[in-house]
Amino acid sequence: MPLLTRGLFINGEFVDAIDGATMEVVNPHDGSVIAMVAEGGERDIDRAVLAAQGAYPQWSSLAAAERGRLLLRLADVIEQHSAELARLESLDTGHPIHDSTLLDVPRTVATFRYFGGMADKYQGFLPPVEAGFLNYVTHDPIGVVGQIVPWNFPLMFCGWKLGPALAAGNTVVMKPSELVPLSTLRLCELFEEAGFAPGVLNVVPGYGARAGARLASHPDIGKVSFTGSTATGRSIVTQSAGNLKRLQLELGGKGANIVFGDANLAAAVNGSAFAIFHNQGQACIAGSRLILHESIADEFLEKFLALAASIRLGDPLNEATEMGPLTSAMHRDRVLNYVDIARGEGGEVLTGGKAPEDPALSNGYYIVPTVVRASPESRVCKEEVFGPFVTVSTFANDDEAMQIANSTDYGLGGGLWTNDLSRAHRMAGVLRAGMVWVNSYKRVNPGSPFGGVGSSGYGREMGFEAMHEYTDLKSVWINVNAAIAPWYPR
Ligand code: NAD
C-alpha cells in the first residue's frame, strides 16, 4: 500500500505544520508505517482557533434547521463511505473489521443523525415569573470549542463530540490522538463533501504536550471536551484555569461486572466476554472486574475461560478475526507489565498473560485474552489496565458484592447479571457509576447520557445533556406591563 500523507485541516484546507514537523502512523498488526501526518504544534492550534473564530458568526447564526440538514447530509456521506472508513479505522487502530463495520461506523452515522435531528428541536423555555414580565431563556452556543480525543474509538468519538457541538452552533478545533489520526482526517474531506463552510471544523493532529496543552490553555476557547486518561484530565483542569473554560471530562474506568447466583449463566458468560474483550479491552467502560457469587463461580469460570481461549486473534482486516492487536507497542508493554504486577501481588493468571505464539502475529501488538484471579484490594483491581485483562474475585452476599464493586475511585460503567428484578433495581441504585447495564453490558445510544462520576470525570456526552454541555444559558427579562415602584420614592 502506498504511504498516505496527510496535513492538518485548517480553514477547509490541508496544510503543513508551521514548523514542518511530521509524525509516523503505525499499523499495530505488523508495526509498519502506513502514513506520515503533519504534527501540529502550539502555533498551529492558534491558527486553527483563528479559523474557527472566523467561521463562528456565520455558523452560529445559521437557522438551526440548516445546521441540522448539514449534519444529516454528513451522516449520509459517511454511510456511503462505510466500507472505506471501516477499513481505515481497522488499519489504524487494530479494531477487527467486523466490529468497525458493524459498530464503529454505524454508531458514528447514528450519532450524527441524532444530533442533526436535534438541532432544531433543542429549544429554550419560559419560566413563569411575576406579572408584568416576560422571561425567556435561550441556549446560546459557547463559541469556539476544543475537543481532545483518545485513541480507542477515534471515528465514533467524532460523532459523539462534533454532533452536539455543531448542532448547538459552535465551531470546533479538534485534536485527535497522535496514534490514530487517519479516520478523523478522512472525515474532514467528507465534511467538505457534505457542504460545511471552511473553518467550522478544524483538525490538528499532534502530541498532547504541545497541541493538546495549547488547546486546553487557549484563552479564546470557551470549552474543552476531553476524553482520555484520568491523569491527563487532571492536567487539563489545571491548564484550563486561565480563562475558566468549561470542561467536560470523560476519563478512565474500572467497570465492575457482577454475576449473581440466580443469573442466566450462558448469557452472563457471553456478555462478560464482550464486556472485556471487545476492542481488546481498550474501552473506558470495559467490564474489567468480574465479581462472581461463590455459588456459581466455578461453573462460570470454566465456561468463561473456555470462551476466552476460543477467541480468534488475527489481522484486523480479516473478517474472521474476533480480537486484533492493541493499538500501540507502548500500550501492549504497559498491559503486559500489569501481568507481572498481578503475579507479584499473589494473583493467579488463569489464562493468557502473554503474546500469542502464532508467528504471523509476532510483529504486531497482540495479547492473548487474560484472566487473573486477584484480591479486590490488589492494584490490578484498582487501576485501569485498558487491555484484554480481567480480574476475578468472589462474594458471598449482595452487600459484599457492592462493597467490592464500589471500592475503586472510578465510577463509569458497571454490569449486573441477575434474574431477580428487585435485586437488579436495588443494586443499580447503589452502584457508584454513571451507567449501569442489567443482563447486558456496554450498551450505548445517542439518546442516552454517557459519562461518569468520581475519577471517571464529569459532564455527559449524548442526548439532551450533550446539548447542555455545548451551550450557555441566557435569561432575558422584558417588562411588558409592570409598573415599577421607584427605587427610593422621591
Ligand atoms: P491520554 O490521556 O493519554 O490521551 C488522550 C488525549 O489527550 C490524546 O489526544 C492526547 O494526545 C491528549 N493529551 C495527552 N496529554 C495531554 C496534555 N497534557 N494536555 C492536553 N492533551 C493531552 O489517553 P489515551 O491513552 O489516549 O486514552 C485512553 C484513556 O482514555 C483511558 O484511560 C480510557 O479509560 C480513557 N477513555 C475514557 C472514555 C470515557 O468516555 N470516559 C472513553 C474512551 C477512553
mmCIF file with all atom_site columns, all heavy atoms in Angstrom, residues 148-152 175 178 208 212 226-229 232 250-252 284 384 386 450, ligand 1:
data_model
loop_
_atom_site.group_PDB
_atom_site.id
_atom_site.type_symbol
_atom_site.label_atom_id
_atom_site.label_alt_id
_atom_site.label_comp_id
_atom_site.label_asym_id
_atom_site.label_entity_id
_atom_site.label_seq_id
_atom_site.pdbx_PDB_ins_code
_atom_site.Cartn_x
_atom_site.Cartn_y
_atom_site.Cartn_z
_atom_site.occupancy
_atom_site.B_iso_or_equiv
_atom_site.pdbx_formal_charge
_atom_site.auth_seq_id
_atom_site.auth_comp_id
_atom_site.auth_asym_id
_atom_site.auth_atom_id
_atom_site.pdbx_PDB_model_num
ATOM   1   N N   . ILE A 1 148 ? -10.497 17.101 22.576 1.00 0.00 ? 148 ILE A N   1
ATOM   2   C CA  . ILE A 1 148 ? -9.269  16.288 22.641 1.00 0.00 ? 148 ILE A CA  1
ATOM   3   C C   . ILE A 1 148 ? -9.696  14.822 22.755 1.00 0.00 ? 148 ILE A C   1
ATOM   4   O O   . ILE A 1 148 ? -10.450 14.455 23.659 1.00 0.00 ? 148 ILE A O   1
ATOM   5   C CB  . ILE A 1 148 ? -8.394  16.714 23.836 1.00 0.00 ? 148 ILE A CB  1
ATOM   6   C CG1 . ILE A 1 148 ? -8.051  18.203 23.728 1.00 0.00 ? 148 ILE A CG1 1
ATOM   7   C CG2 . ILE A 1 148 ? -7.126  15.868 23.884 1.00 0.00 ? 148 ILE A CG2 1
ATOM   8   C CD1 . ILE A 1 148 ? -7.243  18.757 24.903 1.00 0.00 ? 148 ILE A CD1 1
ATOM   9   N N   . VAL A 1 149 ? -9.227  14.015 21.831 1.00 0.00 ? 149 VAL A N   1
ATOM   10  C CA  . VAL A 1 149 ? -9.790  12.677 21.621 1.00 0.00 ? 149 VAL A CA  1
ATOM   11  C C   . VAL A 1 149 ? -8.718  11.613 21.878 1.00 0.00 ? 149 VAL A C   1
ATOM   12  O O   . VAL A 1 149 ? -7.560  11.807 21.503 1.00 0.00 ? 149 VAL A O   1
ATOM   13  C CB  . VAL A 1 149 ? -10.310 12.574 20.157 1.00 0.00 ? 149 VAL A CB  1
ATOM   14  C CG1 . VAL A 1 149 ? -11.039 11.270 19.928 1.00 0.00 ? 149 VAL A CG1 1
ATOM   15  C CG2 . VAL A 1 149 ? -11.228 13.751 19.826 1.00 0.00 ? 149 VAL A CG2 1
ATOM   16  N N   . PRO A 1 150 ? -9.071  10.482 22.488 1.00 0.00 ? 150 PRO A N   1
ATOM   17  C CA  . PRO A 1 150 ? -8.095  9.413  22.716 1.00 0.00 ? 150 PRO A CA  1
ATOM   18  C C   . PRO A 1 150 ? -8.022  8.465  21.512 1.00 0.00 ? 150 PRO A C   1
ATOM   19  O O   . PRO A 1 150 ? -8.687  8.701  20.504 1.00 0.00 ? 150 PRO A O   1
ATOM   20  C CB  . PRO A 1 150 ? -8.677  8.692  23.929 1.00 0.00 ? 150 PRO A CB  1
ATOM   21  C CG  . PRO A 1 150 ? -10.148 8.787  23.736 1.00 0.00 ? 150 PRO A CG  1
ATOM   22  C CD  . PRO A 1 150 ? -10.397 10.109 23.022 1.00 0.00 ? 150 PRO A CD  1
ATOM   23  N N   . TRP A 1 151 ? -7.262  7.384  21.675 1.00 0.00 ? 151 TRP A N   1
ATOM   24  C CA  . TRP A 1 151 ? -7.016  6.527  20.507 1.00 0.00 ? 151 TRP A CA  1
ATOM   25  C C   . TRP A 1 151 ? -7.925  5.315  20.423 1.00 0.00 ? 151 TRP A C   1
ATOM   26  O O   . TRP A 1 151 ? -7.833  4.551  19.464 1.00 0.00 ? 151 TRP A O   1
ATOM   27  C CB  . TRP A 1 151 ? -5.544  6.071  20.482 1.00 0.00 ? 151 TRP A CB  1
ATOM   28  C CG  . TRP A 1 151 ? -5.011  5.566  21.786 1.00 0.00 ? 151 TRP A CG  1
ATOM   29  C CD1 . TRP A 1 151 ? -4.216  6.255  22.655 1.00 0.00 ? 151 TRP A CD1 1
ATOM   30  C CD2 . TRP A 1 151 ? -5.220  4.279  22.384 1.00 0.00 ? 151 TRP A CD2 1
ATOM   31  N NE1 . TRP A 1 151 ? -3.924  5.484  23.756 1.00 0.00 ? 151 TRP A NE1 1
ATOM   32  C CE2 . TRP A 1 151 ? -4.525  4.257  23.606 1.00 0.00 ? 151 TRP A CE2 1
ATOM   33  C CE3 . TRP A 1 151 ? -5.915  3.132  21.999 1.00 0.00 ? 151 TRP A CE3 1
ATOM   34  C CZ2 . TRP A 1 151 ? -4.510  3.152  24.451 1.00 0.00 ? 151 TRP A CZ2 1
ATOM   35  C CZ3 . TRP A 1 151 ? -5.915  2.026  22.834 1.00 0.00 ? 151 TRP A CZ3 1
ATOM   36  C CH2 . TRP A 1 151 ? -5.207  2.052  24.051 1.00 0.00 ? 151 TRP A CH2 1
ATOM   37  N N   . ASN A 1 152 ? -8.822  5.120  21.385 1.00 0.00 ? 152 ASN A N   1
ATOM   38  C CA  . ASN A 1 152 ? -9.514  3.823  21.338 1.00 0.00 ? 152 ASN A CA  1
ATOM   39  C C   . ASN A 1 152 ? -10.691 3.753  20.360 1.00 0.00 ? 152 ASN A C   1
ATOM   40  O O   . ASN A 1 152 ? -10.908 2.706  19.762 1.00 0.00 ? 152 ASN A O   1
ATOM   41  C CB  . ASN A 1 152 ? -9.900  3.355  22.743 1.00 0.00 ? 152 ASN A CB  1
ATOM   42  C CG  . ASN A 1 152 ? -10.717 4.346  23.512 1.00 0.00 ? 152 ASN A CG  1
ATOM   43  O OD1 . ASN A 1 152 ? -10.697 5.530  23.222 1.00 0.00 ? 152 ASN A OD1 1
ATOM   44  N ND2 . ASN A 1 152 ? -11.439 3.873  24.498 1.00 0.00 ? 152 ASN A ND2 1
ATOM   45  N N   . LYS A 1 175 ? -8.342  17.947 18.383 1.00 0.00 ? 175 LYS A N   1
ATOM   46  C CA  . LYS A 1 175 ? -7.033  17.285 18.318 1.00 0.00 ? 175 LYS A CA  1
ATOM   47  C C   . LYS A 1 175 ? -7.239  15.782 18.489 1.00 0.00 ? 175 LYS A C   1
ATOM   48  O O   . LYS A 1 175 ? -7.524  15.300 19.584 1.00 0.00 ? 175 LYS A O   1
ATOM   49  C CB  . LYS A 1 175 ? -6.095  17.784 19.417 1.00 0.00 ? 175 LYS A CB  1
ATOM   50  C CG  . LYS A 1 175 ? -4.662  17.321 19.145 1.00 0.00 ? 175 LYS A CG  1
ATOM   51  C CD  . LYS A 1 175 ? -3.778  17.312 20.356 1.00 0.00 ? 175 LYS A CD  1
ATOM   52  C CE  . LYS A 1 175 ? -3.909  16.082 21.190 1.00 0.00 ? 175 LYS A CE  1
ATOM   53  N NZ  . LYS A 1 175 ? -3.557  14.822 20.507 1.00 0.00 ? 175 LYS A NZ  1
ATOM   54  N N   . GLU A 1 178 ? -2.471  11.320 18.626 1.00 0.00 ? 178 GLU A N   1
ATOM   55  C CA  . GLU A 1 178 ? -1.303  11.233 17.751 1.00 0.00 ? 178 GLU A CA  1
ATOM   56  C C   . GLU A 1 178 ? -1.148  9.832  17.151 1.00 0.00 ? 178 GLU A C   1
ATOM   57  O O   . GLU A 1 178 ? -0.548  9.660  16.098 1.00 0.00 ? 178 GLU A O   1
ATOM   58  C CB  . GLU A 1 178 ? -0.033  11.619 18.528 1.00 0.00 ? 178 GLU A CB  1
ATOM   59  C CG  . GLU A 1 178 ? 0.260   10.801 19.791 1.00 0.00 ? 178 GLU A CG  1
ATOM   60  C CD  . GLU A 1 178 ? -0.465  11.331 21.043 1.00 0.00 ? 178 GLU A CD  1
ATOM   61  O OE1 . GLU A 1 178 ? -1.530  11.969 20.887 1.00 0.00 ? 178 GLU A OE1 1
ATOM   62  O OE2 . GLU A 1 178 ? 0.029   11.104 22.158 1.00 0.00 ? 178 GLU A OE2 1
ATOM   63  N N   . GLY A 1 208 ? 0.020   15.460 22.866 1.00 0.00 ? 208 GLY A N   1
ATOM   64  C CA  . GLY A 1 208 ? -0.694  16.078 23.972 1.00 0.00 ? 208 GLY A CA  1
ATOM   65  C C   . GLY A 1 208 ? 0.076   17.226 24.599 1.00 0.00 ? 208 GLY A C   1
ATOM   66  O O   . GLY A 1 208 ? -0.487  18.285 24.896 1.00 0.00 ? 208 GLY A O   1
ATOM   67  N N   . GLY A 1 212 ? -2.160  19.511 22.417 1.00 0.00 ? 212 GLY A N   1
ATOM   68  C CA  . GLY A 1 212 ? -3.221  19.297 23.408 1.00 0.00 ? 212 GLY A CA  1
ATOM   69  C C   . GLY A 1 212 ? -3.175  20.347 24.498 1.00 0.00 ? 212 GLY A C   1
ATOM   70  O O   . GLY A 1 212 ? -4.201  20.939 24.870 1.00 0.00 ? 212 GLY A O   1
ATOM   71  N N   . PHE A 1 226 ? -12.945 16.656 26.726 1.00 0.00 ? 226 PHE A N   1
ATOM   72  C CA  . PHE A 1 226 ? -11.775 15.780 26.728 1.00 0.00 ? 226 PHE A CA  1
ATOM   73  C C   . PHE A 1 226 ? -12.193 14.350 27.031 1.00 0.00 ? 226 PHE A C   1
ATOM   74  O O   . PHE A 1 226 ? -12.954 14.102 27.972 1.00 0.00 ? 226 PHE A O   1
ATOM   75  C CB  . PHE A 1 226 ? -10.781 16.251 27.799 1.00 0.00 ? 226 PHE A CB  1
ATOM   76  C CG  . PHE A 1 226 ? -9.663  15.255 28.046 1.00 0.00 ? 226 PHE A CG  1
ATOM   77  C CD1 . PHE A 1 226 ? -8.632  15.123 27.131 1.00 0.00 ? 226 PHE A CD1 1
ATOM   78  C CD2 . PHE A 1 226 ? -9.667  14.442 29.168 1.00 0.00 ? 226 PHE A CD2 1
ATOM   79  C CE1 . PHE A 1 226 ? -7.610  14.193 27.342 1.00 0.00 ? 226 PHE A CE1 1
ATOM   80  C CE2 . PHE A 1 226 ? -8.651  13.525 29.393 1.00 0.00 ? 226 PHE A CE2 1
ATOM   81  C CZ  . PHE A 1 226 ? -7.619  13.398 28.478 1.00 0.00 ? 226 PHE A CZ  1
ATOM   82  N N   . THR A 1 227 ? -11.698 13.419 26.251 1.00 0.00 ? 227 THR A N   1
ATOM   83  C CA  . THR A 1 227 ? -11.822 12.002 26.585 1.00 0.00 ? 227 THR A CA  1
ATOM   84  C C   . THR A 1 227 ? -10.420 11.434 26.626 1.00 0.00 ? 227 THR A C   1
ATOM   85  O O   . THR A 1 227 ? -9.641  11.607 25.684 1.00 0.00 ? 227 THR A O   1
ATOM   86  C CB  . THR A 1 227 ? -12.666 11.252 25.532 1.00 0.00 ? 227 THR A CB  1
ATOM   87  O OG1 . THR A 1 227 ? -13.956 11.854 25.483 1.00 0.00 ? 227 THR A OG1 1
ATOM   88  C CG2 . THR A 1 227 ? -12.827 9.793  25.904 1.00 0.00 ? 227 THR A CG2 1
ATOM   89  N N   . GLY A 1 228 ? -10.093 10.784 27.732 1.00 0.00 ? 228 GLY A N   1
ATOM   90  C CA  . GLY A 1 228 ? -8.754  10.231 27.870 1.00 0.00 ? 228 GLY A CA  1
ATOM   91  C C   . GLY A 1 228 ? -8.532  9.776  29.293 1.00 0.00 ? 228 GLY A C   1
ATOM   92  O O   . GLY A 1 228 ? -9.486  9.541  30.049 1.00 0.00 ? 228 GLY A O   1
ATOM   93  N N   . SER A 1 229 ? -7.272  9.708  29.670 1.00 0.00 ? 229 SER A N   1
ATOM   94  C CA  . SER A 1 229 ? -6.951  9.145  30.980 1.00 0.00 ? 229 SER A CA  1
ATOM   95  C C   . SER A 1 229 ? -7.225  10.151 32.104 1.00 0.00 ? 229 SER A C   1
ATOM   96  O O   . SER A 1 229 ? -7.246  11.369 31.877 1.00 0.00 ? 229 SER A O   1
ATOM   97  C CB  . SER A 1 229 ? -5.480  8.741  31.009 1.00 0.00 ? 229 SER A CB  1
ATOM   98  O OG  . SER A 1 229 ? -4.686  9.881  30.807 1.00 0.00 ? 229 SER A OG  1
ATOM   99  N N   . THR A 1 232 ? -4.332  12.723 32.562 1.00 0.00 ? 232 THR A N   1
ATOM   100 C CA  . THR A 1 232 ? -4.347  13.855 31.628 1.00 0.00 ? 232 THR A CA  1
ATOM   101 C C   . THR A 1 232 ? -5.524  14.776 31.946 1.00 0.00 ? 232 THR A C   1
ATOM   102 O O   . THR A 1 232 ? -5.407  16.007 31.859 1.00 0.00 ? 232 THR A O   1
ATOM   103 C CB  . THR A 1 232 ? -4.446  13.359 30.167 1.00 0.00 ? 232 THR A CB  1
ATOM   104 O OG1 . THR A 1 232 ? -3.410  12.412 29.943 1.00 0.00 ? 232 THR A OG1 1
ATOM   105 C CG2 . THR A 1 232 ? -4.291  14.495 29.189 1.00 0.00 ? 232 THR A CG2 1
ATOM   106 N N   . GLU A 1 250 ? -14.346 12.979 30.173 1.00 0.00 ? 250 GLU A N   1
ATOM   107 C CA  . GLU A 1 250 ? -14.711 11.551 30.125 1.00 0.00 ? 250 GLU A CA  1
ATOM   108 C C   . GLU A 1 250 ? -13.414 10.789 30.346 1.00 0.00 ? 250 GLU A C   1
ATOM   109 O O   . GLU A 1 250 ? -12.592 10.682 29.444 1.00 0.00 ? 250 GLU A O   1
ATOM   110 C CB  . GLU A 1 250 ? -15.292 11.189 28.751 1.00 0.00 ? 250 GLU A CB  1
ATOM   111 C CG  . GLU A 1 250 ? -16.468 12.020 28.323 1.00 0.00 ? 250 GLU A CG  1
ATOM   112 C CD  . GLU A 1 250 ? -17.735 11.677 29.077 1.00 0.00 ? 250 GLU A CD  1
ATOM   113 O OE1 . GLU A 1 250 ? -17.746 10.670 29.807 1.00 0.00 ? 250 GLU A OE1 1
ATOM   114 O OE2 . GLU A 1 250 ? -18.704 12.426 28.952 1.00 0.00 ? 250 GLU A OE2 1
ATOM   115 N N   . LEU A 1 251 ? -13.247 10.251 31.542 1.00 0.00 ? 251 LEU A N   1
ATOM   116 C CA  . LEU A 1 251 ? -11.929 9.718  31.904 1.00 0.00 ? 251 LEU A CA  1
ATOM   117 C C   . LEU A 1 251 ? -11.939 8.192  32.013 1.00 0.00 ? 251 LEU A C   1
ATOM   118 O O   . LEU A 1 251 ? -12.737 7.527  31.369 1.00 0.00 ? 251 LEU A O   1
ATOM   119 C CB  . LEU A 1 251 ? -11.460 10.400 33.186 1.00 0.00 ? 251 LEU A CB  1
ATOM   120 C CG  . LEU A 1 251 ? -11.535 11.948 33.127 1.00 0.00 ? 251 LEU A CG  1
ATOM   121 C CD1 . LEU A 1 251 ? -11.125 12.575 34.443 1.00 0.00 ? 251 LEU A CD1 1
ATOM   122 C CD2 . LEU A 1 251 ? -10.709 12.500 31.980 1.00 0.00 ? 251 LEU A CD2 1
ATOM   123 N N   . GLY A 1 252 ? -11.074 7.672  32.819 1.00 0.00 ? 252 GLY A N   1
ATOM   124 C CA  . GLY A 1 252 ? -10.906 6.220  32.869 1.00 0.00 ? 252 GLY A CA  1
ATOM   125 C C   . GLY A 1 252 ? -12.024 5.504  33.604 1.00 0.00 ? 252 GLY A C   1
ATOM   126 O O   . GLY A 1 252 ? -12.964 6.113  34.117 1.00 0.00 ? 252 GLY A O   1
ATOM   127 N N   . CYS A 1 284 ? -13.088 2.526  27.962 1.00 0.00 ? 284 CYS A N   1
ATOM   128 C CA  . CYS A 1 284 ? -13.196 3.077  29.312 1.00 0.00 ? 284 CYS A CA  1
ATOM   129 C C   . CYS A 1 284 ? -14.276 2.349  30.107 1.00 0.00 ? 284 CYS A C   1
ATOM   130 O O   . CYS A 1 284 ? -14.185 2.233  31.317 1.00 0.00 ? 284 CYS A O   1
ATOM   131 C CB  . CYS A 1 284 ? -13.532 4.554  29.208 1.00 0.00 ? 284 CYS A CB  1
ATOM   132 S SG  . CYS A 1 284 ? -14.932 4.820  28.117 1.00 0.00 ? 284 CYS A SG  1
ATOM   133 N N   . GLU A 1 384 ? -6.750  1.158  36.233 1.00 0.00 ? 384 GLU A N   1
ATOM   134 C CA  . GLU A 1 384 ? -7.236  0.836  34.894 1.00 0.00 ? 384 GLU A CA  1
ATOM   135 C C   . GLU A 1 384 ? -6.115  0.211  34.068 1.00 0.00 ? 384 GLU A C   1
ATOM   136 O O   . GLU A 1 384 ? -5.059  0.808  33.902 1.00 0.00 ? 384 GLU A O   1
ATOM   137 C CB  . GLU A 1 384 ? -7.734  2.113  34.208 1.00 0.00 ? 384 GLU A CB  1
ATOM   138 C CG  . GLU A 1 384 ? -8.378  1.838  32.868 1.00 0.00 ? 384 GLU A CG  1
ATOM   139 C CD  . GLU A 1 384 ? -8.830  3.117  32.175 1.00 0.00 ? 384 GLU A CD  1
ATOM   140 O OE1 . GLU A 1 384 ? -8.053  4.079  32.141 1.00 0.00 ? 384 GLU A OE1 1
ATOM   141 O OE2 . GLU A 1 384 ? -9.961  3.133  31.648 1.00 0.00 ? 384 GLU A OE2 1
ATOM   142 N N   . PHE A 1 386 ? -6.832  -1.286 30.851 1.00 0.00 ? 386 PHE A N   1
ATOM   143 C CA  . PHE A 1 386 ? -7.198  -0.865 29.498 1.00 0.00 ? 386 PHE A CA  1
ATOM   144 C C   . PHE A 1 386 ? -6.696  -1.844 28.436 1.00 0.00 ? 386 PHE A C   1
ATOM   145 O O   . PHE A 1 386 ? -6.179  -1.476 27.392 1.00 0.00 ? 386 PHE A O   1
ATOM   146 C CB  . PHE A 1 386 ? -6.619  0.536  29.231 1.00 0.00 ? 386 PHE A CB  1
ATOM   147 C CG  . PHE A 1 386 ? -7.474  1.380  28.332 1.00 0.00 ? 386 PHE A CG  1
ATOM   148 C CD1 . PHE A 1 386 ? -8.771  1.704  28.677 1.00 0.00 ? 386 PHE A CD1 1
ATOM   149 C CD2 . PHE A 1 386 ? -6.978  1.878  27.126 1.00 0.00 ? 386 PHE A CD2 1
ATOM   150 C CE1 . PHE A 1 386 ? -9.561  2.499  27.848 1.00 0.00 ? 386 PHE A CE1 1
ATOM   151 C CE2 . PHE A 1 386 ? -7.758  2.668  26.292 1.00 0.00 ? 386 PHE A CE2 1
ATOM   152 C CZ  . PHE A 1 386 ? -9.054  2.971  26.654 1.00 0.00 ? 386 PHE A CZ  1
ATOM   153 N N   . PHE A 1 450 ? -23.946 9.632  28.542 1.00 0.00 ? 450 PHE A N   1
ATOM   154 C CA  . PHE A 1 450 ? -22.759 8.800  28.723 1.00 0.00 ? 450 PHE A CA  1
ATOM   155 C C   . PHE A 1 450 ? -21.727 9.601  29.497 1.00 0.00 ? 450 PHE A C   1
ATOM   156 O O   . PHE A 1 450 ? -21.331 10.685 29.096 1.00 0.00 ? 450 PHE A O   1
ATOM   157 C CB  . PHE A 1 450 ? -22.199 8.428  27.343 1.00 0.00 ? 450 PHE A CB  1
ATOM   158 C CG  . PHE A 1 450 ? -21.030 7.476  27.395 1.00 0.00 ? 450 PHE A CG  1
ATOM   159 C CD1 . PHE A 1 450 ? -21.191 6.138  27.078 1.00 0.00 ? 450 PHE A CD1 1
ATOM   160 C CD2 . PHE A 1 450 ? -19.765 7.924  27.760 1.00 0.00 ? 450 PHE A CD2 1
ATOM   161 C CE1 . PHE A 1 450 ? -20.121 5.261  27.122 1.00 0.00 ? 450 PHE A CE1 1
ATOM   162 C CE2 . PHE A 1 450 ? -18.688 7.051  27.817 1.00 0.00 ? 450 PHE A CE2 1
ATOM   163 C CZ  . PHE A 1 450 ? -18.866 5.723  27.494 1.00 0.00 ? 450 PHE A CZ  1
HETATM 164 P P1  . NAD B 2 .   ? -4.465  10.091 27.148 1.00 0.00 ? 1   NAD B P1  1
HETATM 165 O O1  . NAD B 2 .   ? -4.998  10.821 28.311 1.00 0.00 ? 1   NAD B O1  1
HETATM 166 O O2  . NAD B 2 .   ? -3.047  9.702  27.132 1.00 0.00 ? 1   NAD B O2  1
HETATM 167 O O3  . NAD B 2 .   ? -4.679  10.918 25.800 1.00 0.00 ? 1   NAD B O3  1
HETATM 168 C C1  . NAD B 2 .   ? -5.953  11.386 25.403 1.00 0.00 ? 1   NAD B C1  1
HETATM 169 C C2  . NAD B 2 .   ? -5.766  12.583 24.526 1.00 0.00 ? 1   NAD B C2  1
HETATM 170 O O4  . NAD B 2 .   ? -5.202  13.638 25.318 1.00 0.00 ? 1   NAD B O4  1
HETATM 171 C C3  . NAD B 2 .   ? -4.800  12.388 23.370 1.00 0.00 ? 1   NAD B C3  1
HETATM 172 O O5  . NAD B 2 .   ? -5.284  13.086 22.252 1.00 0.00 ? 1   NAD B O5  1
HETATM 173 C C4  . NAD B 2 .   ? -3.507  13.009 23.891 1.00 0.00 ? 1   NAD B C4  1
HETATM 174 O O6  . NAD B 2 .   ? -2.660  13.454 22.870 1.00 0.00 ? 1   NAD B O6  1
HETATM 175 C C5  . NAD B 2 .   ? -4.053  14.162 24.692 1.00 0.00 ? 1   NAD B C5  1
HETATM 176 N N1  . NAD B 2 .   ? -3.141  14.658 25.741 1.00 0.00 ? 1   NAD B N1  1
HETATM 177 C C6  . NAD B 2 .   ? -2.166  13.981 26.383 1.00 0.00 ? 1   NAD B C6  1
HETATM 178 N N2  . NAD B 2 .   ? -1.541  14.789 27.270 1.00 0.00 ? 1   NAD B N2  1
HETATM 179 C C7  . NAD B 2 .   ? -2.153  15.999 27.200 1.00 0.00 ? 1   NAD B C7  1
HETATM 180 C C8  . NAD B 2 .   ? -1.988  17.233 27.882 1.00 0.00 ? 1   NAD B C8  1
HETATM 181 N N3  . NAD B 2 .   ? -1.061  17.407 28.818 1.00 0.00 ? 1   NAD B N3  1
HETATM 182 N N4  . NAD B 2 .   ? -2.809  18.258 27.573 1.00 0.00 ? 1   NAD B N4  1
HETATM 183 C C9  . NAD B 2 .   ? -3.769  18.106 26.642 1.00 0.00 ? 1   NAD B C9  1
HETATM 184 N N5  . NAD B 2 .   ? -3.968  16.957 25.947 1.00 0.00 ? 1   NAD B N5  1
HETATM 185 C C10 . NAD B 2 .   ? -3.173  15.909 26.231 1.00 0.00 ? 1   NAD B C10 1
HETATM 186 O O7  . NAD B 2 .   ? -5.440  8.839  26.957 1.00 0.00 ? 1   NAD B O7  1
HETATM 187 P P2  . NAD B 2 .   ? -5.331  7.697  25.888 1.00 0.00 ? 1   NAD B P2  1
HETATM 188 O O8  . NAD B 2 .   ? -4.257  6.763  26.317 1.00 0.00 ? 1   NAD B O8  1
HETATM 189 O O9  . NAD B 2 .   ? -5.283  8.264  24.515 1.00 0.00 ? 1   NAD B O9  1
HETATM 190 O O10 . NAD B 2 .   ? -6.772  7.018  26.025 1.00 0.00 ? 1   NAD B O10 1
HETATM 191 C C11 . NAD B 2 .   ? -7.018  6.037  26.930 1.00 0.00 ? 1   NAD B C11 1
HETATM 192 C C12 . NAD B 2 .   ? -7.725  6.609  28.139 1.00 0.00 ? 1   NAD B C12 1
HETATM 193 O O11 . NAD B 2 .   ? -8.927  7.250  27.735 1.00 0.00 ? 1   NAD B O11 1
HETATM 194 C C13 . NAD B 2 .   ? -8.141  5.561  29.129 1.00 0.00 ? 1   NAD B C13 1
HETATM 195 O O12 . NAD B 2 .   ? -7.859  5.980  30.432 1.00 0.00 ? 1   NAD B O12 1
HETATM 196 C C14 . NAD B 2 .   ? -9.637  5.463  28.927 1.00 0.00 ? 1   NAD B C14 1
HETATM 197 O O13 . NAD B 2 .   ? -10.350 4.968  30.001 1.00 0.00 ? 1   NAD B O13 1
HETATM 198 C C15 . NAD B 2 .   ? -9.998  6.838  28.586 1.00 0.00 ? 1   NAD B C15 1
HETATM 199 N N6  . NAD B 2 .   ? -11.276 6.872  27.874 1.00 0.00 ? 1   NAD B N6  1
HETATM 200 C C16 . NAD B 2 .   ? -12.371 7.369  28.522 1.00 0.00 ? 1   NAD B C16 1
HETATM 201 C C17 . NAD B 2 .   ? -13.601 7.369  27.880 1.00 0.00 ? 1   NAD B C17 1
HETATM 202 C C18 . NAD B 2 .   ? -14.834 7.912  28.555 1.00 0.00 ? 1   NAD B C18 1
HETATM 203 O O14 . NAD B 2 .   ? -15.779 8.234  27.860 1.00 0.00 ? 1   NAD B O14 1
HETATM 204 N N7  . NAD B 2 .   ? -14.861 8.048  29.862 1.00 0.00 ? 1   NAD B N7  1
HETATM 205 C C19 . NAD B 2 .   ? -13.716 6.879  26.601 1.00 0.00 ? 1   NAD B C19 1
HETATM 206 C C20 . NAD B 2 .   ? -12.576 6.366  25.982 1.00 0.00 ? 1   NAD B C20 1
HETATM 207 C C21 . NAD B 2 .   ? -11.354 6.390  26.630 1.00 0.00 ? 1   NAD B C21 1
#
